[in-house]
Amino acid sequence: MSDAAAPAPAPAKVSLAAPSAWRRATRSGGLVVGLLLVIGMILVAAFAPQVAPYDPDAQDVLLNLVGPTADHWFGTDAFGRDVLSRVIWGARISLFVGFVATMAGVVFGTVVGVISGYYGGKVDKAITAATDVLLSFPQLIMGLMLVAVLGPNLQNLILAIAITAVPAFVRVARGSTLAMKERDFVDACRALGYGDLRIMFLHVLPNIMDEVVVMASLWLATAIRTEATLSFIGLGVPPPTATWGGIVREGFDNLLDGWWLSVFPSLAILLVMIALNLIGDGLRDATDPRAPQ
Amino acid sequence: MSAAPITAASEALQVEGLTTSIRIAGHWFDAVRDVSFTVRQRETLALVGESGCGKSLTALSIMGLLPGAVGRVSKGRIVVDGVDMTAATEAKREAMRGDRIGMIFQEPMTSLNPVLPIGFQIAEGLMQHRGMSKDAARKRAVQLMELVRIPSAADRLDAYPHQFSGGMRQRVMIAMALACSPRVLIADEPTTALDVTIQAQVLALLADLQKQEGLAVLLITHNLGVVASVADRVMVMYGGDVVESAPMRAFFQAPTHPYSEALLAAMPRVDRASKLAPIPGQVPTLPDMPAGCRYQSRCPLRIAKCAERPPLTPLGGDPEHGVRCWVRAGA
Amino acid sequence: MSENKTLLQVRDLSKTFLSRKGWPVPKTVAVRAVDGVSFEVGQGEALGVVGESGCGKSTVARLALRLIEADGGSVRFGDTEVLGASKADLRRLRRRMQIVFQDPASALDPRQRVGEALGEALRVHGLANRRDVRTVVERLLDEVGLPKVAADRFPHEFSGGQRQRIGIARALALGPDLVFADEPVSALDVSVQAQILVLLERLKAERNLAFVFISHDLGVVRHFCRKVVVLYLGRVVEQGPVPDIFDTPLHPYTQLLKVSSPNPDPDTAVHMAFQEGEPPSPVNPPKGCHFHPRCPHAMDVCRSVYPSLRKAGDGRVVACHLYPE
């Protein structure tokens, strides 16, 4: 069997290797732009104390409702607080809530989804039924109900948003797990005597992460939007803590006196939505084998 | 259905010096090299070889169905029923496809549209190429389904592909390919996806239809057993080259190219216990193909001269039997 | 070691799949995929299981390995009853019974390097410690004819034949006595198919491995196996030694399979004048002998009574009314 000793055909003159997922993803540029934007925003939020020109809560009654100037790029609000500083500090809360809530939803939803898909039968039926019930509520209404019941504070806000994210990830993970179960390697693992936990989390999970990550990036946008919406209607983090939704809300009260109050925080929200959707689309194209080369 | 009149030239399909290139990682490689053959009426020519040998690319080149971005006919002439396909406009080629030249594929499920009734799918070609009315085309569709021996054809005209078994779907595909009474039928692994007993039925059907309709059949297959059952002539391909070309019986009596011999010795037989001799190694990828004879990297008879490409040389005494090998052609 | 010592004994194995089909009101449909199948495999012996798609041949392997649960019957491996085995017993049995799949691309975890895949099996069963794993993995790769560097590559970097070698190496990792080979060469080109068959033969001899070799290709089974079981719609129709069954098939279905099998010889080419007919759906098998609608010898009794398996010479049985009980 000397023949078989030959290693896999080594690309000699020309590389025949399919372009890596990363190369495919970055070819369109959307993913790169989105990532740069999001990373930039995270950095700004993280270094808010250094970056923000003023204390976001410092009031200056003499300088209230001043439009954008060289000193106050985004203007000041009714209490004379610097809007730019508030938007920067608000990014901390808004991004934090979005990331933590999404992560929690992803982890819990994916684990439940993998279990549901892997075991099938009664477990699957019960989980699917529960998921369907949760999905039948519009996601915003559900967040609203949960916060209303639990009470508006940071923890509960995160919990509520995480719970709204769970059913979507249960679905994605379950569907992908079912597709993986069709592949013989799952049976091969069982025949080799591997435990169910090992198969689910060391073999199935890594193979479905592509779909989960794409979904997560899109859900991050939804989570941030939900936080903003809940804050806007007064069910978010209580004032005076700056969050994007809260700043828009405050500006909304004085909208006729100063357009900048709501417009700049809204733009921040818009920008992060666009960036996250660029990332999601880029990742999807990169991981979808049917995507045009 | 009467046999087609044999007024036209008996060469239904002529391929001369066909070279087809495909693009890999931005470079073009010859995946079919200088292939020439003719298929006459009532004749079956089998194109045999393993995956990647270029047999399916040859078929797609003839049909003009190469995916433009990654495949192109770079040299050669293809003449179907007197019409030069390589020089024809795309509109002309489209008119030829399905009319003068039909094709059936390996996978009858994916080749049929799942949401259209099969009667409509058969009739569609007739309406397009022959300008038949809907009623006339439907009537003809029933005849065609009877021709390919689909039981209770009239009742199943409005059935959908998923209501048919694999063998029946392949019959539908054959009926579609034959709808406009083409002169040439290209069958690309037509029975590979079928169970053996169904394969035998479909092969028998193809052989009968060929006689009735006077078809020229280009059969593409990896299975030498299928070749022995239905072919008149055989061409063995390796790495895009035709390495041996012979009348079917002569081929099985005296396979001459080292690759043909090896292929036969690697096939387990159902009629007797056999000792298997595997071919060492694997087919090189196109960028790694050796210059000269492409089989040399696996050939036990390799000599220095193999670095040059051998011509397809007729063997002594039989002009029909050619082999592309310096050693075996005795040069 | 004696070849005759029975390793695997399958008795009356049965499995019915239920599925809900139809629209708008789905109905539950029962498919008798495996219906009272019995056979034995001795140590170091290769048993072929042949039949066409839907005959239940792959299901038999999965039932015997408990990848799916059987409805009835028994599977004895050595002294252990597999179907009733506890989790711990089953784990021990896993080391002795393995499986090789048809499509090696789907049988390997695409995210796992070859070395990790083989090493994992060894570590899970405590067959090698962290330091020895690499050595054992390299020995396994060498045994199936792959270079050591294969351990550091991912499955997609290999050709189909090489991937099948990896699948075989993984099955061998636990040192089994029996391998279920489910169409192991069907997805491969002729020349590669021969390479894998020769490899399996060598392993069979060197390791005294027994095989349940599932295939639709009679030529491959004739080459590799000593005994053969012919299945039709979930039932055994004929069983016996390979040369006898292939030279003088008794059951009309086995005869049909034989004459339909392509042979690279124009004088024994596919017999094409055989009657028309489709394999009936396993959802609704015909009454009596399942084969009677396609059988040229069908008699009245065939339409009502399923023929029991009857002895037909040395080690042969056939389920057909043409032969006396």
Side-chain angles (χ1 to χ4, degrees), chain B residues 188-257:
Chain B
D188 188 357
E189 302 273 9
T191 58
T192 304
L194 305 176
D195 279 321
V196 280
T197 60
I198 308 305
Q199 163 169 286
Q201 293 173 0
V202 170
L203 290 176
L205 174 69
L206 278 175
D208 285 357
L209 291 174
Q210 178 176 35
K211 265 181 235 144
Q212 280 179 38
E213 309 274 310
L215 279 172
V217 176
L218 179 65
L219 174 72
I220 287 152
T221 180
H222 69 283
N223 190 327
L224 285 167
V226 169
V227 174
S229 307
V230 295
D232 298 304
R233 283 190 299 130
V234 188
M235 282 183 26
V236 182
M237 289 187 75
Y238 183 87
D241 277 332
V242 173
V243 294
E244 184 160 2
S245 167
M248 190 266 281
R249 280 185 180 271
F251 175 79
F252 285 101
Q253 270 157 23
T256 306
H257 194 280

Side-chain angles (χ1 to χ4, degrees), chain B residues 50-51 149 165 171 195 197-199 201 204 225 228-229 249 252 266 268-271 274 276 278-279 281-282 298, chain C residues 52-53 159 189-191 193-195 198 218-219 222-223 257 262-267 270 272 276-279 294:
Chain B
E50 298 181 280
S51 15
R149 296 183 216 142
S165 67
R171 284 164 198 258
D195 279 321
T197 60
I198 308 305
Q199 163 169 286
Q201 293 173 0
S229 307
R249 280 185 180 271
F252 285 101
R269 298 175 64 115
V270 66
D271 59 335
S274 43
L276 286 192
I279 306 178
Q282 53 195 2
R298 306 170 76 185
Chain C
E52 296 178 285
S53 40
S159 68
D189 270 323
V190 186
S191 68
Q193 165 179 310
Q195 291 175 1
V198 167
L218 264 61
R222 169 154 213 166
H223 178 78
L257 270 186
N263 205 25
D265 179 350
D267 297 321
V270 171
M272 297 196 297
E276 293 285 307
E278 291 269 294
R294 300 172 76 189

Side-chain angles (χ1 to χ4, degrees), chain C residues 51-109:
Chain C
E52 296 178 285
S53 40
C55 75
K57 54 193 192 298
S58 290
T59 309
V60 167
R62 283 165 173 77
L63 290 174
L65 282 163
R66 291 266 306 264
L67 295 176
I68 41 183
E69 297 295 334
D71 294 338
S74 96
V75 176
R76 286 193 77 76
F77 184 84
D79 302 323
T80 320
E81 171 59 48
V82 180
L83 297 189
S86 68
K87 263 202 153 154
D89 285 343
L90 196 59
R91 219 172 116 85
R92 271 189 289 279
L93 282 167
R94 298 290 190 214
R95 284 171 53 176
R96 305 187 59 196
M97 285 201 289
Q98 276 302 314
I99 179 163
V100 172
F101 296 91
Q102 168 171 0
D103 177 7
S106 134
L108 299 167
D109 182 343

Side-chain angles (χ1 to χ4, degrees), chain B residues 105-164:
Chain B
F105 299 89
Q106 172 173 347
E107 197 32 81
M109 191 65 222
T110 50
S111 307
L112 288 168
N113 186 335
V115 299
L116 294 175
I118 62 117
F120 175 79
Q121 296 191 51
I122 298 174
E124 206 177 6
L126 291 163
M127 294 190 277
Q128 189 193 328
H129 291 294
R130 289 278 185 273
M132 274 192 188
S133 71
K134 207 175 156 202
D135 279 350
R138 269 177 78 88
K139 265 190 204 131
R140 174 87 176 110
V142 176
Q143 283 175 4
L144 283 161
M145 285 167 73
E146 281 164 355
L147 180 78
V148 296
R149 296 183 216 142
I150 293 173
S152 43
D155 299 336
R156 300 178 81 174
L157 200 59
D158 294 315
Y160 290 86
H162 72 266
Q163 294 168 301
F164 285 69

Side-chain angles (χ1 to χ4, degrees), chain C residues 228-289:
Chain C
V228 62
V229 177
V230 184
L231 293 183
Y232 188 73
L233 291 186
R235 293 217 183 196
V236 176
V237 296
E238 188 164 5
Q239 186 172 354
V242 158
D244 303 2
I245 292 207
F246 281 74
D247 290 335
T248 53
L250 295 177
H251 198 284
Y253 176 62
T254 319
Q255 293 168 357
L256 172 64
L257 270 186
K258 188 190 170 190
V259 295
S260 304
S261 291
N263 205 25
D265 179 350
D267 297 321
T268 56
V270 171
H271 194 286
M272 297 196 297
F274 217 91
Q275 80 292 335
E276 293 285 307
E278 291 269 294
S281 143
V283 178
N284 230 331
K287 270 207 169 59
C289 172

